[in-house]
Structures are given as structure tokens and as C-alpha cells.
Amino acid sequence: MPRFASPDAGTHPEALPVTLQQAAARYLQVKHFILERIAGGTLRAGERVPSENELTRTLTVSRMTANRALRELAADGVLVRVAGVGTFVAEQRVHAHPLEVRNIADEIRARGHEYRVKVVTLDSLSATRELAERFAVKPGAALDYSLLTHFEGGTPLQVEERYVNPQVAPGYLRNDFTRTTPHEFLIRVAPLQRAEHTVRALVPERRIRRLLKLEAGEACLLIKRRTFSQGRVASLADLYHPGSRYELAANCQPR
Amino acid sequence: MPRFASPDAGTHPEALPVTLQQAAARYLQVKHFILERIAGGTLRAGERVPSENELTRTLTVSRMTANRALRELAADGVLVRVAGVGTFVAEQRVHAHPLEVRNIADEIRARGHEYRVKVVTLDSLSATRELAERFAVKPGAALDYSLLTHFEGGTPLQVEERYVNPQVAPGYLRNDFTRTTPHEFLIRVAPLQRAEHTVRALVPERRIRRLLKLEAGEACLLIKRRTFSQGRVASLADLYHPGSRYELAANCQPR
DNA sequence: GCCCCGGACCAGTATAGACAAGCTGGGCAG
DNA sequence: CTGCCCAGCTTGTCTATACTGGTCCGGGGC
């Protein structure tokens, strides 16, 4: 059986990609070897990863080195190992760390999937009473507004509805959101000082439901985020995630 | 065919404390050896931990085994290692984590409302395959189970479904939950070391919906929590909150 | 007094060899 | 055909040994 069809596998000598930094430790090179194949699509979720012995042969490393690489990837949740059967690419349940203000594009790419964004609305508007209160500006003050849908592959993973204070982060609407996410733009223009989050569950209104391509009655996770820069509110964001395809992960421990 | 030929490797002298389970892997025994000394106060925060070579001598293990134990404890944040200097017990700084492991009774009372609890089910059961996996115990091992509803005034605010490992937190079922919440009991009996959370949104099944007195089709927030004590899983908890009446707050301060 | 160098000790990494235990599939006996 | 066992794969673990580079300290040369 062609266990491992070995599309490349130059067998003996320089089996490790020369693009890798030789300075890195061997076990890290092996980890990258696996991660690159996952990111590149050569290895997909559920598929079998070369066994320790196979790696020993194809990469010319000792079994302990291959073992450490696979074991650490398993500890990270990238791989799943079953004694006597093999090592497999983990089914990726979507994860995010609520404590960190993360970039959803990075998150998606880190899982080896294609990131796409659809710009639904870009606008400048004047603050309602409620918005003004949350931004601590005067009612009627100008605010930038964006409504985007972020896709993982072809599936919407987040609807991002965002208000930005142009006094704190000027030029928001001139940003090319297909190249720079709101998050990336904001941390560049208005260094993040602090962020507040609230998380709740709801069955979304039709507008959000359509953008997330949800069935009627499906739940979604709403993360409301308020970010501060230079002591002022830089932006308010409502992040909607499909309840069935998204979960927040958090480890609670002094690291 | 030496399947059951030798139940354990009798090759090595019994240098490790006999209180430790002999079935456990050596590197786990070394980890427990360190953790016990930290828990017992023999090793305090900032103090130096025996070096790999010292452990090799005193515990009669190979250096690779000691290395793995120390490396994993460092990865868990228990130890801090500095090449060329040594290994030290990490300073346990107080963490204001967004998803702090909080006591719901305190939370409700802090808002000036009356806290009440209804015990739905208390039971001892044997671990299913899936539970055993998440607890890292053998399938069939005894687990304690509780299902409670926490009320704010007359309104249910949380359904708490919890599994507890009696090996780590004995006497759970004998606790009077009308006076001591599971959380209070557990932090007293099994000092919290670490907690993992995942948060998701869903439309609950009928059982949960009834306990929370929700309308059909209402969303709820599910917080799945896994707590660790002494390096072992102490408990699994599924915390269901009504989406309309509950939100999770999280503040994020970059260091 | 200051600087440099070497030795001691440390973690980090790599290798080879070994045994244990779990799973799967094929072959064999009934 | 059914049931069982076993070969052969897998991961999991442990040991012994070796070399590297970082840190610290003390001693000797300047």
C-alpha cells in the first residue's frame, strides 16, 4: 500500500527543505515540516501524518526527535495521536482567545485555510445618543462605520460591525479592507491600550443571519469589544460568530 | 508475545516515594515529585528546583526523563528555566483573567440580589469513554456528578452540570450544596492550579431549557470549564446561561 | 585595580537502542 | 462462516551517551 505516496521524498540526503533555517533545532524543523504541509493543503484534517519511523527515514532524524515534534504538535492540538494506529491532523474546531485581541485573518491562516473578506458597508455617520455615550463624545460627532464579513474558505466565520472614532484613528474609511483588516489598521494607527469585552449568546436578527448564512433559529456568539487608545475610545466592534462553527477558548493560569 | 509477561519493569530500585502510583510513567512521577514539593511548601516561588543531573542521581532516572518532566512543567508555567543557570519555581502572580474562575453565588450577591440554588441531581457514576478521556482516567473509573440550578432572586441564571474526580477532590457528594457551592467546595479541597474554558452559543436541548425556564428557540451561552489541581483534572463543568439575561465581561490589558 | 580566560555547571538538543502496550488485518482452526 | 490468535504495524516510554552553547566564578596576567 502506498501509505505515503511520497510525491517528493528525495529519500536520503538533504531531505529537509533547504528553505528552513538550519540554525533551528531539528525537532522544530520537523514541526515546521508538518505544519507547512497542513498549511499548504498537502495534509488535511483527519488525514494521516507520516509515522515516527517514516519521518526517521525520510527526514534523517532519530525517532526521539520525530517523537518530540509530533508529541508537541499533539499537545498544541494540531495533531491527534492514537497508539497503535497513527497520528492524524486534528479536526479543527475554531478557536480564539478572548483575552487577546487577535486578528481574525491571522487566526484563519494559522489554521491553514484561506482568508477572504467581503465589505458590506462603509460609511461615515454622526453619533446617536447611545453611541456618543459609549464613545464619550458629543452626540452628532462624526464616526466611521464598517460592516464586513470574514470568510474561512467559503464559509462566513465572523460578521464585524464596527464604529471608529476618526479623532483617534483617522483615515479608517480610506483603508483597503481586502488587504488590511480593521484590526491591523487600528493597531497601526491607534496603538491598543486596553480592551473591554462582553460575550453573549443570541439568536440573531435577519440581517446578521443572512450574512453568516445561518438557518433560522440558530444561535450565534456575540462579542462586543471596546478598544481604547491614548486614553480615548478608539472603536466599538460587534463580532458575530456562528454558534455551531465557533468557540472561544481560554486558559486561565498565570503563564 | 510478552503481553502480560512483566507487569512492570522491575529493573530499577524504588527510589521514588511509594505513595506515587507505580503505574504512572516515570516522567509523570518526576513531575508529581516536583509538584508535591511545591504544594507542600518545600519549594517556594522563586526557589531553585533540583537540576536535571541532581534528579538523575536522587530519583534514579535518566537525564532525558528528568528533562521531559522539567520541560513540561515549564511549558505549564509551573517552572521557569534559564539555560546555564537552573530551574526555578515560577512566581505565581495574581491574574485578573477575563474568564476568572468565579463563584456565581458571590457574583449574584455582589449585585445585591438573593442567591438560591436547587439541587436537581447528585450521583456517582462510572466514566464513559469520552469522560474518561477528558479526565485522563480509565474508562469506568468512579466520578461524582451534580446538576444544579443557580437562581438570582426567582430567576434561574445558571445551570451547572459538573463531573468531579473523587481521587482529586474526595467527599464531593457529601457537600451541602445549599450552603457551599461546588466552586467553593472545590477550591477548598483541591486548590485550583489551572482552568481551561471554551465558550459557545447554542439553542439548548429541552432539559436545559426547562431548567433555565427559557422559551423555545432562545439562545444560551455555554461555558465549558475544566479545572486542574495537582496536575490532574479535578472537574469538568458545563455552565449554561440564558442568553437574554447573562453576559460575560472581560477586560484585556496588554502588559 | 581591571580584564580576560578557562573550568565548572547548567539546560538544550540529538542519537541509538530497547521494551511495553494498543490496534488492525489476515490466516488458521473449528 | 465464525471465532481466535498472532504478526506487524503503531505510539509511548525509558535509558545511555554525546555534543553544544550559555552563565557564573575565580585565578592569573596586565
Side-chain angles (χ1 to χ4, degrees), chain A residues 19-34:
Chain A
T19 57
L20 290 179
Q21 299 181 3
Q22 300 184 348
R26 291 289 265 173
Y27 79 93
L28 290 177
Q29 294 181 33
V30 177
K31 286 178 77 171
H32 285 133
F33 177 85
I34 303 292

Side-chain angles (χ1 to χ4, degrees), chain B residues 3 12 25-27 60-65 68 83-85:
Chain B
R3 244 316 137 84
H12 305 287
R26 293 290 268 175
Y27 77 94
T60 326
V61 296
S62 83
R63 209 186 129 217
M64 283 303 294
T65 304
R68 179 169 178 188
V85 180

Side-chain angles (χ1 to χ4, degrees), chain A:
Chain A
M1 310 336 181
R3 264 280 152 67
F4 195 35
S6 68
D8 48 52
T11 48
H12 333 67
E14 276 307 305
L16 274 177
V18 278
T19 57
L20 290 179
Q21 299 181 3
Q22 300 184 348
R26 291 289 265 173
Y27 79 93
L28 290 177
Q29 294 181 33
V30 177
K31 286 178 77 171
H32 285 133
F33 177 85
I34 303 292
L35 284 173
E36 274 184 355
R37 268 152 188 74
I38 294 174
T42 313
L43 286 172
R44 295 184 189 179
E47 280 188 357
R48 183 204 177 82
V49 167
S51 77
E52 296 180 3
N53 282 321
E54 285 167 343
L55 290 174
T56 296
R57 287 192 297 273
T58 60
L59 301 187
T60 324
V61 297
S62 80
R63 205 191 131 212
M64 282 305 293
T65 303
N67 173 275
R68 178 169 177 186
L70 295 182
R71 192 209 310 145
E72 290 190 0
L73 286 175
D76 291 344
V78 176
L79 303 178
V80 173
R81 316 197 73 190
V82 181
V85 181
T87 304
F88 304 87
V89 180
E91 302 290 340
Q92 297 286 348
R93 188 112 177 98
V94 178
H95 277 280
H97 301 264
L99 54 155
E100 295 170 35
V101 176
R102 290 184 67 188
N103 185 355
I104 187 154
D106 291 343
E107 217 176 287
I108 288 173
R109 292 201 191 96
R111 287 197 292 275
H113 293 135
E114 188 206 9
Y115 166 74
R116 279 201 314 115
V117 63
K118 181 182 164 196
V119 179
V120 181
T121 310
L122 289 181
D123 205 357
S124 175
L125 43 78
S126 63
T128 63
R129 207 184 140 82
E130 188 196 338
L131 276 174
E133 198 168 302
R134 300 207 60 201
F135 266 103
V137 296
K138 290 179 183 172
L143 292 178
D144 294 344
Y145 172 84
S146 67
L147 179 61
L148 312 179
T149 311
H150 301 276
F151 290 82
E152 176 163 21
T155 315
L157 190 66
Q158 182 188 92
V159 167
E160 172 183 1
E161 186 166 33
R162 192 182 281 271
Y163 299 88
V164 174
N165 185 350
Q167 301 284 322
V168 180
Y172 180 70
L173 292 179
R174 288 193 300 277
N175 180 47
D176 177 3
F177 291 104
T178 60
R179 301 190 49 177
T180 310
T181 65
H183 175 270
E184 284 166 346
F185 175 84
L186 287 171
I187 59 174
R188 203 180 59 226
V189 172
L192 180 68
Q193 184 181 31
R194 187 164 69 84
E196 289 172 1
H197 298 86
T198 63
V199 182
R200 69 178 71 165
L202 77 167
V203 175
E205 51 176 318
R206 210 183 63 171
R207 182 180 62 115
I208 301 297
R209 195 181 81 211
R210 285 189 167 186
L211 290 173
L212 284 178
K213 295 180 184 167
L214 292 180
E215 300 294 318
E218 264 192 87
C220 82
L221 201 66
L222 168 59
I223 303 171
K224 293 179 88 75
R225 174 185 291 171
R226 188 157 71 144
T227 60
F228 294 77
S229 183
Q230 302 154 23
R232 292 191 289 174
V233 179
S235 83
L236 296 183
D238 285 354
L239 311 174
Y240 296 85
H241 296 91
S244 54
R245 290 194 301 276
Y246 190 86
E247 69 181 23
L248 274 170
N251 288 332
C252 187
Q253 178 211 7
R255 273 192 311 149

Side-chain angles (χ1 to χ4, degrees), chain B residues 22-247:
Chain B
Q22 302 184 350
R26 293 290 268 175
Y27 77 94
L28 290 177
Q29 294 181 28
V30 176
K31 287 177 77 171
H32 286 133
F33 177 85
I34 303 292
L35 284 172
E36 275 184 355
R37 269 151 187 74
I38 293 174
T42 313
L43 285 172
R44 296 185 187 179
E47 280 187 359
R48 183 201 178 83
V49 166
S51 77
E52 296 181 4
N53 281 320
E54 286 167 343
L55 290 174
T56 296
R57 286 192 298 273
T58 61
L59 300 186
T60 326
V61 296
S62 83
R63 209 186 129 217
M64 283 303 294
T65 304
N67 173 276
R68 179 169 178 188
L70 295 183
R71 192 207 310 145
E72 291 191 359
L73 286 174
D76 289 345
V78 175
L79 303 179
V80 174
R81 315 195 75 184
V82 183
V85 180
T87 304
F88 305 89
V89 180
E91 303 285 344
Q92 300 283 342
R93 59 168 211 270
V94 183
H95 54 287
H97 190 280
L99 280 179
E100 244 174 310
V101 177
R102 293 178 66 183
N103 187 354
I104 186 148
D106 293 343
E107 218 175 286
I108 289 172
R109 292 201 190 96
R111 285 199 292 273
H113 293 135
E114 187 207 9
Y115 167 75
R116 275 200 317 113
V117 63
K118 181 182 164 196
V119 178
V120 181
T121 310
L122 287 181
D123 205 355
S124 176
L125 42 80
S126 63
T128 63
R129 209 185 141 80
E130 187 195 339
L131 276 175
E133 199 169 302
R134 301 208 60 204
F135 265 103
V137 297
K138 289 179 182 170
L143 293 177
D144 293 344
Y145 171 84
S146 66
L147 179 62
L148 313 179
T149 311
H150 301 276
F151 291 81
E152 177 164 21
T155 315
L157 188 66
Q158 182 187 93
V159 167
E160 172 183 3
E161 187 166 33
R162 191 182 283 270
Y163 299 87
V164 174
N165 184 350
Q167 300 284 321
V168 179
Y172 179 71
L173 292 179
R174 289 193 301 275
N175 179 46
D176 177 4
F177 292 104
T178 60
R179 302 191 49 179
T180 311
T181 64
H183 175 270
E184 285 166 346
F185 175 83
L186 286 172
I187 59 173
R188 200 181 64 225
V189 171
L192 180 68
Q193 182 184 32
R194 185 163 71 83
E196 290 172 0
H197 298 88
T198 62
V199 182
R200 69 178 71 166
L202 77 167
V203 176
E205 52 176 320
R206 210 183 66 171
R207 182 180 61 115
I208 301 298
R209 195 180 82 212
R210 286 190 165 181
L211 291 172
L212 283 178
K213 295 181 185 166
L214 292 180
E215 301 295 318
E218 264 192 86
C220 81
L221 198 67
L222 168 58
I223 302 172
K224 291 178 89 77
R225 174 185 292 168
R226 187 156 74 145
T227 60
F228 293 77
S229 183
Q230 303 156 24
R232 292 191 288 175
V233 178
S235 83
L236 297 182
D238 285 354
L239 311 173
Y240 296 85
H241 296 91
S244 54
R245 292 194 300 276
Y246 189 86
E247 69 181 21

